[in-house]
Structure formats: C-alpha cells, structure tokens
Amino acid sequence: MNKPVYSWIKIVAGSLIFLLSLTACESAKNDTYSKLTGNLRVALAQKIMLDLRYYCQSEQLINVNGKQVCRTPLTQLPPELAAMIQDSNIGGIILFAENLESIEQVVTLNYDMQQAARASYSGLDLFISIDQEGGRVARLPREQVTSFSGNMAIGATQAKSGNYFAEQTGRIIGVELAALGFNLNHAPNVDVNVNADNPVINVRSFGEQAEQVAELGSAQLNAMQQQGVIGTLKHFPGHGDTNVDSHTGLPRVDHHLEQIVNVDLLPFQRAIDQGLAKMIMTAHIQYPQLDDSTFNASDGSTMIKPATMSKRILTDLLRTQMGFNGVVITDALDMAGISHFFNPVDAIIETFNAGSDIALMPFRIRKAEDIATLSQVLDQLEQAVADGRLSEQQVYDSVQRIFTLKQQIPSRFNNNTLAANIAYADGVVGTNAHRDIERQLAEQSLVMVKNEQAIPIADNSKVHLLMPDLGKCRALQQAIDATNPQLNISCSDLHQLDFAKAHHQVMQADVVVAASITPNQSAAEMGGVEDLELIFEKREKLSKKEQQQQLIQLLSLAKANNKTTIFVSLRAPYEMTRYHHDSDALVATFSYNVHSVTQSDTDTTVTGPAYVALAKLLTGKITASGQLPVTIDVNDRDLTENNNDSDTSND
C-alpha cells in the first residue's frame, strides 16, 4: 500500500477512535448525571459528607463520663460500612489522624471506600477529604508524610522568598495526598489573623495583611490543585478576628462593611477572580453587618444567624455579588457554633436553604446501629422537600455543582490496582526531596525579634531548657546535641515540673532557653469537638495557667542572676510580649510539633523540623532570615492569656 495513503488511513482511524471514546465518555457522564437528577434520595446523599473516625463493635465501647462511647479508630473498612457507602450513594468521607497509620494502610482504606462508591447506583467517586493544612493542623503521620511548619511560617518567608514556599508546600501536599488516595483537602486557610487573641486560627493564617494572605493562599491553592487535589478555601467570610473558637461557641465579628470587604473577603475574592476557587468552606460565625437577621434556637433563644445558615451571606454575597460558582461546604456541623442551636436535620435543611452544597459531619456513625441514622436523615430530608421546607430545584442545582467538580477528579488512583497504588505512594510520600523543602521552610521562617548577644550560644556553655513537655525537651536537646556536642544540656518539662530541681538547674546554667506554646491546643488541632467531649483525666501536675506562671518565674530568676536568657515562641509570636523584659533574645518558630523516628531497635530520636532549625540557630550554624507577618509591640502591649485547661497537650 502506498505509504502516504496508509498514513492517512491511520490518522483517520485514530481520529475516529478518539471521537468514539469521547462520545462514550460523554454518554457515561450524561448517564451518571441523569441518575442524580432522576433520584432525589441519591441527590441528597451526594450532599452529605460523613466522618468515620471511630467505629466499634459492641464489645469495644468504653465508658467515659457515664456514657458508652466508641474510641476505636477505623483503619480498615468493615463490610457493613462498605455496604453503607454502596447502598446510600453518600457523597463524601472525611478522615482524621486516628484513621491514618501508614502509607499502605491509608491507601488500602481509601481504595476500598472508592471501590464501594463505584459499585453504588450513581457510580460516582467519593470525595475523600482531609484537613492537611500543614503546621498545627496535619492529620497524616508526621514521621511518614511531609507536614511542614504551617502558614504563618510561610508568611515569614515571603519578604525574602516570595511565593516559593506557598507553591512548594501546595505542590508537595498535593502530590502526597493524591498518591494516598485523597482528592479533596480542606486547605488552604485564608483567614486574615488580625486578632492576637484568636484561639483557633493564629498561626494557621499566613499573616495579618489581606494582600499577603490572598497572594500566598492563591499560590498554595493553585499548586495543590495542579496535582489533582481539590482545595478548600476557609473559613468564609473570615475567621481571623475572633476570640471564641467556633468548635466550642458561636463567635461574632463586628467589622464595618469596608473592613469586611478589604480584609476578610479579599483572599476569597482574589481566588474567585483568578478562577482558582473550586470549593469554599463556611464559618459558624455571626457577621451582623452582612446579615443581622435572627433565628429561634433549639433552646428557645433568639440568635443572629451564623454565616453557615445565612442565605444573604452564602447566596446573595458569595454567589451573586462575588461571582462564586463552585461548591460550598459547611464547616463541621457538630461544632458547638451550630449543634448547640440546631438538631442535625434542621441544621442540614437550614444550611442547604442558605446555599451550602455539602453538609460536613452533621451526625456521627460509630457503631453498626448508627448506620440506620443515615437512612433516617435521608428520609427526613426527602420529606422536607415534599413539605416545601427544602427546594427540590435547589437540591438539583447543588448536585450539578458537585457532579461538575467530581468530574475533575483524576482517575489514576481508582483505575490502578491496589498494589500499584501502594507502590506509587511508597515512592513519592515523604521523600528526601520533600523533606528538604520542609527543612528549608523551618530554617528560613525563623524570626529573631531580639538578640542582645545571646545567640549564638558559646561553646562549652551549660544550657538549661524550660520546655512545654517531655517530648519537646527531648526534641530540642537531641537536636542541639547533634549540632554542637560541646554544649552541656539539661531540661525541665513543664508538664511534670519539679520547681526546686528546675530552680537548681537554672542557677547552675550559663544560658536558659525557655519555650512556650500559646494559645492552647484547639479542637481543630486535635481533630474536632469529639476530642473535647472525650478528654481523659490529665496527667500533668500543673494546669496551663500554672505552667505559664512557673515559666515566667524561672525566666525572671535566671535574668535576675545574670544568666543569658532566650525565649522561644513555638506557636503564636504574640506571647513574646509577656517575656521580653526577662529575655536577652526572642525567637519565633511558628511550629512546635514533634514525632519519633526509630533508628534501630534501641535508638529512637524525637524530632521535628522546627527543633532542628532552632538548634542550628542557637549554635550559630544558621542565621534567622524570617520577618514577622504579624505586628507585635513588645514595648507597650501585654496580652491576656487564653488558658483552657481542657488542652490534652499531646501535640
């Protein structure tokens, strides 16, 4: 056959095959969508995202505060939950640290859930989501997965490195999550932290300047979504100026309209305008300047509507005025900002009517008997449509947005074999290259707020550390030993402080390094409201307030006795205002988490990127190049402490 003719036939045949495949694909999409729009119950199920953090057989229930509760982590998918996913056509699942043990286990769990979803009537993939912000909020095991130092650390690097670390963290988080089978990440956090007493956001924010937050947030979001993981901008319309945690109460923001537009809304608007915003999470916060209408709570009180329940905010503002056409997901509906005022079904109906597309964690499934709850809730939602309490057209409009977004989920993970997915994840999760970026961020984000010839610490000095707990004692002590073995290091653990012994060690030292973590650990870091409900008896001898008082007393003692004193803020740098008079140096790390690394059967290292970087700074191996992305007036301002003795202190 004539070669040009043969080539022409090949081109035509290839084009026909391509067109047929596109037609078949489009036909499959249309068929799936018709199943959603032709079945109200399936459509409603797609609008629910459940957490499966714990799941128990009856003999596994334990008694906590007089209640039978489940605290057995779900790490494998039992047949009854696989059947629930398949039979209900549920739209999404959120996983927490308790669900996540190892690369192979996580990949297997996510794969099994997706196979159950694909066997459902709709055949649609699940949204499998996670809160993997980095820093304070990271659910995956830090010893296996790259976790980074968090957003405020990134903000501290921008003056020198621009958007580099926002882009790199977004890329790496996206690569690793996609490899593990996650397709939705509830990040980045684009709240503008303008309140130094904010108990739940603080270092989860990039900083206090809206333009900086907008730029870094969009850069991180774009990089993550390029790896096939959908990002969630949160918490709309802004959680940056609250002094109440919406996990435990209902915050209120009284900003005037100009500030709301130019500060709180700006990062969301920027991402929308750039075409990057695909999902936005609501905040359980009252914004009376945006909506001052009220509702009657379940306890009989009259309250201003929180944003999650406000049509003016979620529909009129977000969709109509700001032009957002993506998916709106609620923050967890079991948080006190909602659950104290609504029962689960009413909460779902109210937020759907306001404009939300997905209800996150509206109720709990913890044992086999609870599986019926999902069916009962769907029954009640169907009845709400029949009664006119919920608009059928609105449900279908919402499901169209969900369907459109799910079509953007890459098919690699679900189409591969389980073995191939595990092998791929093993090759990309927590690689040396990723860890090197994590190390660079930890080092380049360090901020030296003050240094009166205290750093670097001279060789052969006796150094006493005052650390929040034993794990952090070990992490910094081991890091300093590895960096400069000529220093003589001792450490006091504030959780189990022996004041007399610490007093003696301070008096014997040449240098005292004191480190603190405030505000206390929030429910967002632990995982959610359920952790606050199920806190066991604490083991520390001192309350948080007492620990802070002892730390101040010991640092003051060291200063009065001419010791070199160094204070390190391991979380929110605002706390420096309480320690600057007694400190020759002030350092901010924005990060405090530790994890164990087993070197051998007899050798385990406690470490964390922030502690390795801090050790290098203290011993003169590196210099601090970060700049504070928030304002701290160490001369005039004295912050009040947010003491919350429900802190489990296991961070």
Side-chain angles (χ1 to χ4, degrees):
M1 182 181 294
N2 184 277
K3 188 172 182 180
V5 173
Y6 176 69
S7 299
W8 180 82
I9 292 173
K10 283 178 64 179
I11 292 171
V12 171
S15 299
L16 287 172
I17 292 171
F18 177 70
L19 290 172
L20 287 171
S21 66
L22 284 179
T23 302
C25 182
E26 194 62 34
S27 176
K29 287 183 181 179
N30 291 336
D31 183 55
T32 300
Y33 185 61
S34 67
K35 290 179 179 179
L36 296 178
T37 56
N39 190 315
L40 178 62
R41 191 178 186 87
V42 172
L44 288 166
Q46 282 293 308
K47 289 167 60 62
I48 304 292
M49 182 174 288
L50 298 177
D51 85 286
L52 301 177
R53 189 186 332 187
Y54 305 114
Y55 188 77
C56 290
Q57 304 303 321
S58 57
E59 66 274 10
Q60 294 174 307
L61 296 174
I62 60 174
N63 187 286
V64 175
N65 300 327
K67 295 181 180 180
Q68 290 293 107
V69 299
C70 176
R71 288 288 276 182
T72 301
L74 183 140
T75 55
Q76 297 178 339
L77 188 65
E80 60 268 33
L81 288 183
M84 180 196 75
I85 292 171
Q86 179 177 337
D87 297 343
S88 69
N89 293 272
I90 196 73
I93 301 292
I94 182 171
L95 297 181
F96 291 89
E98 291 82 359
N99 302 115
L100 313 170
E101 294 180 335
S102 67
I103 292 174
E104 181 176 351
Q105 174 267 322
V106 173
V107 170
T108 302
L109 176 60
N110 287 343
Y111 186 83
D112 289 346
M113 288 194 296
Q114 288 291 18
Q115 295 309 304
R118 285 196 160 190
S120 68
Y121 170 76
S122 74
L124 274 179
D125 293 339
L126 284 169
F127 282 134
I128 300 183
S129 71
I130 189 172
D131 294 303
Q132 190 72 8
E133 299 176 13
R136 288 178 62 185
V137 179
R139 309 300 189 209
L140 288 157
R142 294 176 188 272
E143 66 273 16
Q144 300 180 57
V145 179
T146 317
S147 300
F148 300 106
S149 295
N151 285 354
M152 195 167 285
I154 295 171
T157 69
Q158 191 188 35
K160 178 181 178 181
S161 301
N163 296 344
Y164 176 78
F165 285 108
E167 293 166 351
Q168 289 300 310
T169 56
R171 176 184 66 83
I172 292 168
I173 289 172
V175 166
E176 296 192 1
L177 287 182
L180 292 167
F182 293 97
N183 51 41
L184 174 61
N185 188 17
H186 298 305
N189 186 310
V190 290
D191 299 309
V192 183
N193 200 80
V194 296
N195 189 333
D197 293 322
N198 196 322
V200 66
I201 303 301
N202 51 82
V203 292
R204 296 168 65 195
S205 168
F206 291 105
E208 67 184 10
Q209 296 298 321
E211 285 287 346
Q212 180 185 39
V213 172
E215 184 173 349
L216 294 175
S218 290
Q220 189 180 70
L221 175 67
N222 185 39
M224 182 166 58
Q225 291 184 158
Q226 286 180 357
Q227 306 307 317
V229 174
I230 298 161
T232 308
L233 294 170
K234 60 185 185 184
H235 306 80
F236 185 86
H239 210 314
D241 191 10
T242 60
N243 54 19
V244 174
D245 185 345
S246 51
H247 291 83
T248 57
L250 184 57
R252 171 172 169 154
V253 174
D254 286 305
H255 288 175
H256 52 77
L257 190 59
E258 183 180 4
Q259 185 175 6
I260 293 172
V261 171
N262 293 331
V263 177
D264 302 303
L265 298 181
L266 189 145
F268 297 98
Q269 187 69 70
R270 187 69 52 79
I272 292 168
D273 292 344
Q274 293 175 347
L276 297 173
K278 298 181 179 181
M279 183 176 286
I280 289 178
M281 179 178 284
T282 69
H284 306 328
I285 299 177
Q286 297 170 327
Y287 264 82
Q289 285 294 326
L290 297 178
D291 187 356
D292 61 358
S293 61
T294 60
F295 67 93
N296 294 321
S298 57
D299 63 2
S301 60
T302 300
M303 306 288 292
I304 292 176
K305 285 183 179 180
T308 298
M309 304 299 180
S310 170
K311 186 175 182 180
R312 292 184 191 175
I313 293 175
L314 299 187
T315 298
D316 299 344
L317 172 62
L318 180 57
R319 292 205 184 280
T320 304
Q321 295 182 36
M322 298 178 67
F324 179 63
N325 58 12
V327 172
V328 175
I329 186 170
T330 71
D331 206 343
L333 292 177
D334 68 346
M335 292 162 60
I338 297 297
S339 63
H340 283 184
F341 308 105
F342 296 91
N343 67 49
V345 173
D346 285 343
I348 295 171
I349 292 171
E350 289 296 325
T351 193
F352 284 172
N353 282 332
S356 294
D357 298 304
I358 297 176
L360 174 63
M361 298 169 59
F363 51 87
R364 297 172 186 169
I365 294 176
R366 295 293 179 257
K367 52 189 185 298
E369 294 85 342
D370 295 338
I371 293 175
T373 301
L374 176 57
S375 181
Q376 293 164 4
V377 167
L378 292 174
D379 287 342
Q380 293 178 69
L381 293 177
E382 283 189 288
Q383 188 60 48
V385 173
D387 295 342
R389 293 181 63 202
L390 192 59
S391 164
E392 183 174 13
Q393 185 59 52
Q394 193 171 17
V395 170
Y396 287 132
D397 289 344
S398 179
V399 167
Q400 183 177 33
R401 289 189 288 268
I402 293 170
F403 176 77
T404 300
L405 187 55
K406 284 193 172 185
Q407 298 312 300
Q408 300 176 36
I409 297 173
S411 59
R412 182 200 64 79
F413 183 86
N414 294 342
N415 290 342
N416 275 351
T417 65
L418 175 59
N421 283 331
I422 293 171
Y424 178 75
D426 278 333
V428 302
V429 174
T431 63
N432 289 337
H434 292 178
R435 293 292 191 186
D436 189 54
I437 300 295
E438 182 181 52
R439 174 194 61 77
Q440 291 177 36
L441 174 59
E443 292 180 3
Q444 295 185 35
S445 61
L446 291 174
V447 177
M448 189 90 76
V449 177
K450 172 184 178 181
N451 185 20
E452 297 177 354
Q453 299 182 329
I455 299 174
I457 299 171
D459 289 349
N460 301 312
S461 296
K462 291 182 179 180
V463 181
H464 187 63
L465 310 178
L466 298 170
M467 300 297 290
D469 57 49
L470 183 59
K472 295 169 185 58
C473 264
R474 291 176 175 169
L476 186 55
Q477 189 164 359
Q478 290 174 349
I480 293 175
D481 284 340
T483 306
N484 186 353
Q486 297 184 44
L487 297 177
N488 186 345
I489 310 294
S490 59
C491 190
S492 293
D493 161 17
L494 292 173
H495 268 189
Q496 305 290 335
L497 185 68
D498 181 333
F499 188 83
K501 181 179 179 182
H503 182 288
H504 174 74
Q505 290 173 312
V506 165
M507 295 303 294
Q508 295 298 309
D510 302 309
V511 180
V512 174
V513 179
S516 176
I517 299 175
T518 63
N520 295 322
Q521 189 184 37
S522 70
E525 292 164 89
M526 292 183 276
V529 173
E530 195 164 4
D531 297 280
L532 296 178
E533 296 172 354
L534 303 176
I535 289 172
F536 292 95
E537 181 181 355
K538 292 184 280 294
R539 294 169 291 182
E540 61 263 27
K541 293 179 181 179
L542 300 177
S543 71
K544 289 291 180 237
K545 185 174 183 179
E546 290 170 330
Q547 290 175 30
Q548 292 295 317
Q549 290 171 343
Q550 300 284 42
L551 181 62
I552 291 172
Q553 189 173 346
L554 288 167
L555 193 63
S556 178
L557 171 72
K559 182 67 172 177
N561 284 275
N562 298 315
K563 312 295 181 182
T564 297
T565 53
I566 300 169
F567 177 76
V568 181
S569 168
L570 294 173
R571 186 182 288 173
Y574 309 104
E575 66 178 333
M576 289 180 180
T577 59
R578 290 192 293 272
Y579 301 96
H580 76 280
H581 289 300
D582 293 319
S583 302
D584 298 314
L586 296 169
V587 179
T589 69
F590 311 102
S591 181
Y592 58 89
N593 299 96
V594 300
H595 61 269
S596 298
V597 177
T598 301
Q599 311 289 349
S600 65
D601 292 340
T602 59
D603 185 12
T604 298
T605 299
V606 180
T607 188
Y611 300 94
V612 176
L614 179 59
K616 291 180 180 179
L617 177 67
L618 294 175
T619 57
K621 300 299 188 292
I622 62 173
T623 58
S625 60
Q627 295 186 18
L628 285 177
V630 293
T631 302
I632 299 174
D633 188 347
V634 295
N635 295 313
D636 300 324
R637 196 155 187 271
D638 186 18
L639 300 181
T640 56
E641 292 184 55
N642 275 313
N643 289 299
N644 176 0
D645 289 338
S646 65
D647 184 3
T648 58
S649 303
N650 59 353
D651 48 358

